[in-house]
Every structure is written in C-alpha cells, then in structure tokens.
Amino acid sequence: MLARFHGGLAAGAAAMLDGRLDVSFGRFAGLPADVRARLSQVPMRLNRLAVLVPEDHPLAEPDAVPLGLLAGFPLDVMAGNAGTREWSDLGERLAGAFGLRLARPRAAPVGAAEMGHYLRRHREPVLAGVQIGGIPGAVTRPLVEPVPLGLENLVHPKALRHPGLAALLAAVAELGRARHWLRRPPDSWLPEADEALVSA
C-alpha cells in the first residue's frame, strides 16, 4: 500500500485509477462524474477557507476577510493547475455564490518559495485553507461572513481490499468523532454537492 503522494486529488485520482496509488485525500465532489463513479469516498473533515496574500496587500490588514470585501479583488483559484482541478471547482462555486471575480488562469507555482514569488508578482489573493503558512512574504487571512468551507474526503478505488485501508478508515472515524472534524461552524457556507456527501 502506497503511503505518500504529493499533489491534488485530481492527480491522485488519476494515479489511483492507474493502480499507482491506493488512497488519497481531497475534495471528492470536484472530480468529474466518470471518475467519481470508479472511486469510493468517506467525508473526513470540514476545512475553513482563507486567502493567501502578500504582506503589504490591502487584504493583509484585517485579521479576517469578509467575502464582501474580497469581492473587490480577483480571486486566484489556481485554475491553471490540472492536478488540483477539484480545488479550482470549489473556488469557482464560491465565486458564483457570492459574486466574486476570478483571476485568469496561470501556470501554478510549485513549493513555498515559488508561491511567495508568484504572490509578489501577481498580487491577487489566492484561495487557500486556513492551515496554509510558511510562504515567504505572505500572510493567510480566514474568510468570513459567512465562513466558507471545503470538504476533505478520504478516497480510494472501489475495488481496493487491503487491511491497511480498514485501519485507516477506523482511525479517520475515531479522530473525526474526537475532534469534531465534520461539525459546521455557525454562519457557514458549503457547496451543495459537498453538503450532500456529508449528510448522506
């Protein structure tokens, strides 16, 4: 059983369907329907969304960024990265729901140093999770009013049978219950496709 993989779920799904990867994590609802049909998923955790901006950007000043304020800036959802298509789909749904403008697609940076350079060059807020940090010259600001969420799923091929998978599923279930990973904060937003997976 493979234990490590670097990339988005779109790339991970391709590797799983090719037999090169057993399990991956990410936003299942953002995968194409024909890909989802060949995979199984377990809702794992709701993650708060944020923007990553240069330290001297206007959106770096507040501790949190209301979605109404974000509407004044093009939002970069990494649409140029095919390996994270599920993430771009989340950003596009967020933009559609709250009248946000999207930045044009660009070649995606790789690694923290490149991301820092990317932000300094383009100066547009990049959609991220609140846990993202360590980018040189950048800060992470959570989004609020309402709090947008992304659903992280544990994903594996439907035909996979492995004792390690059972152990992983049990660990995710136990941690999720103990840490309330699927508890929604008040005044939050989640795409309908993801909400359907949580409530299924």
Side-chain angles (χ1 to χ4, degrees):
M1 186 175 215
L2 297 178
R4 299 184 67 189
F5 176 75
H6 178 74
L9 184 59
M16 284 188 285
L17 296 180
D18 286 346
R20 296 179 287 116
L21 187 69
D22 290 331
V23 175
S24 191
F25 301 89
R27 183 174 172 262
F28 183 77
L31 297 176
D34 61 323
V35 174
R36 295 197 309 270
R38 298 170 63 190
L39 299 170
S40 291
Q41 63 81 34
V42 174
M44 190 177 79
R45 178 167 51 195
L46 291 169
N47 295 315
R48 293 185 61 168
L49 301 183
V51 285
L52 191 63
V53 294
E55 291 174 329
D56 61 348
H57 192 278
L59 294 182
E61 295 177 9
D63 292 333
V65 175
L67 286 172
L69 182 59
L70 182 60
F73 301 86
L75 178 64
D76 191 333
V77 298
M78 291 287 131
N81 187 352
T84 59
R85 183 68 192 98
E86 76 287 347
W87 182 257
S88 302
D89 178 79
L90 175 60
E92 290 161 7
R93 290 173 184 268
L94 178 68
F98 295 98
L100 307 177
R101 292 180 294 141
L102 292 173
R104 66 179 181 84
R106 300 186 178 92
V110 177
E114 277 192 26
M115 177 58 85
H117 176 74
Y118 181 95
L119 285 165
R120 289 190 299 275
R121 179 178 181 186
H122 300 298
R123 298 195 57 78
E124 292 169 339
V126 172
L127 186 67
V130 293
Q131 72 278 9
I132 296 297
I135 306 299
V139 295
T140 304
R141 294 292 181 258
L143 294 170
V144 293
E145 298 177 17
V147 173
L149 303 171
L151 175 63
E152 185 176 359
N153 306 80
L154 183 156
V155 183
H156 63 86
K158 284 188 173 179
L160 180 64
R161 300 292 181 270
H162 193 287
L165 176 61
L168 182 59
L169 290 169
V172 163
E174 182 179 348
L175 285 170
R177 284 191 300 270
R179 300 181 182 180
H180 310 290
W181 279 350
L182 290 174
R183 178 183 293 172
R184 285 187 66 169
D187 189 30
S188 60
W189 171 89
L190 183 68
E192 288 182 8
D194 301 78
E195 193 163 358
L197 294 176
V198 174
S199 58

